[in-house]
Amino acid sequence: FIALVEVDQEINSLNSSLSTHQKKIDALRTELSVNKQVCEKAKIKFEQTRKEVDDKELEMKVLDQQEKEKKGRLDTVANHKEYQSIKTEIDQLKKEQHELEEQLMSVWNQLENAKKELDSANSLCQQQDEKIHQEIAQIEQQIFQITSQRDQKLQERHQKDQSVPAEWMQKYAVMRAHVTDPVVPVVNESCTACFYKVSAQDMQELKRRKLVQCKDCYRLLYLQEVQQPAQN
């Protein structure tokens, strides 16, 4: 029975290790998600800036076309008044073109910077993603090894619990549902879980290689010095 308990402790330790490793993988996958969001954000910024450049260039084409049309009308005007009116409209178009050129220069610079940011983000994310995928692969290999060890221990446990009295297994199962250490040794005539003093009668039972329950915390108790020879 004590050997069974020790196997269960090893299984619990392996399960705890598996949980820790899985949390590491979850954290690394979160990093992958964050990296993807950074790249997507840089991509969106680049595409928005490029659209702004396209819109400004389209506005410039419209102004150029309007100027061309109005200059063509200068050759067909009937009087000086109409000529001056068209000339004023052309001057206004040129002013708008000049202002738009300055805006275009600004958004072109923004587009160039956005492209640099996008390239830098993609390069950095690629490097980080490769590193993270390598770490995940290493941890998954460790998980595979730990899982194999746990499966072996589970088979070993199945073999050991066949020889344990049903009464002990029932009490053991009840305690396992409430505490992580349902079976503990007695040291200095006290329970090592709650430090409750074990009675003289129970000590005699323990010395006969029997298991007794702590009167305070109800854990199963045993004496290591008398159980060890039995295990050997």
Side-chain angles (χ1 to χ4, degrees), residues 113 165 170 184 203 224 230:
N113 292 332
Q170 183 178 5
V184 296
M203 286 299 300
Q224 288 178 316

Side-chain angles (χ1 to χ4, degrees), residues 35-45 118 122:
N35 286 344
K36 184 178 180 181
Q37 291 175 8
V38 170
C39 289
E40 285 295 326
K41 186 176 179 179
K43 181 180 179 182
I44 291 173
K45 181 180 178 180
L118 177 59
N122 285 335

